Amino acid sequence: MKTRILGMIVRIIVIAALVSCMFLLAVKAYGFGKSVFDEKEGTAKNPRTVTFVLKEGNTIYQVADVLEKEGFIKDSMVFVVQKYLYGSELVPGEYRLNTNMTGKMILDILSGAAVDTEESS
């Protein structure tokens, strides 16, 4: 009898742990998806514009890491997902980027789709 009750308690604890893990994963997935699709332009009081050089052979991961370190994007993985989601192809060149731009805006510029570019030869 005691082992049966103990077995039920263990099952309840395992199920509760699984439900909790699923809930946490769902919350994280929602937050990540919201970051990908619901970007807002920055509202920095002192936005800065810099020239960003995209070299031949730079991967999206390298570009995303640099942009995150320089404060242009908040999350490099969100930027990588956006690149593949929007089908952007990065074109080597020199580009003017502003810290108030969204990841989508930056991708448009780095792919040559936006007009605010200064491509180098």
Side-chain angles (χ1 to χ4, degrees):
M1 179 77 170
K2 287 184 179 183
T3 57
R4 189 172 175 188
I5 293 174
L6 186 60
M8 287 178 61
I9 291 173
V10 168
R11 280 190 214 122
I12 291 172
I13 291 172
V14 168
I15 290 171
L18 288 173
V19 168
S20 296
C21 287
M22 288 176 55
F23 179 75
L24 289 173
L25 285 174
V27 168
K28 291 284 188 183
Y30 174 79
F32 187 79
K34 186 167 174 54
S35 297
V36 170
F37 293 107
D38 191 29
E39 278 190 305
K40 305 281 188 263
E41 276 189 63
T43 56
K45 292 182 181 175
N46 297 315
R48 58 187 171 95
T49 301
V50 300
T51 300
F52 181 80
V53 178
L54 180 60
K55 297 177 183 172
E56 186 74 37
N58 283 136
T59 67
I60 184 63
Y61 300 101
Q62 292 168 327
V63 171
D65 285 342
V66 169
L67 291 173
E68 183 178 16
K69 286 177 187 166
E70 294 295 323
F72 288 95
I73 58 175
K74 292 180 183 170
D75 186 337
S76 62
M77 280 312 297
V78 168
F79 189 75
V80 170
V81 169
Q82 287 174 328
K83 186 256 187 219
Y84 291 109
L85 183 70
Y86 298 129
S88 302
E89 291 299 322
L90 303 182
V91 178
E94 280 188 22
Y95 303 94
R96 287 186 354 219
L97 301 179
N98 187 290
T99 53
N100 275 342
M101 292 177 169
T102 64
K104 174 71 169 110
M105 294 166 119
I106 293 172
L107 281 169
D108 286 346
I109 290 172
L110 297 181
S111 67
V115 292
D116 191 17
T117 63
E118 299 173 5
E119 288 194 27
S120 64
S121 332

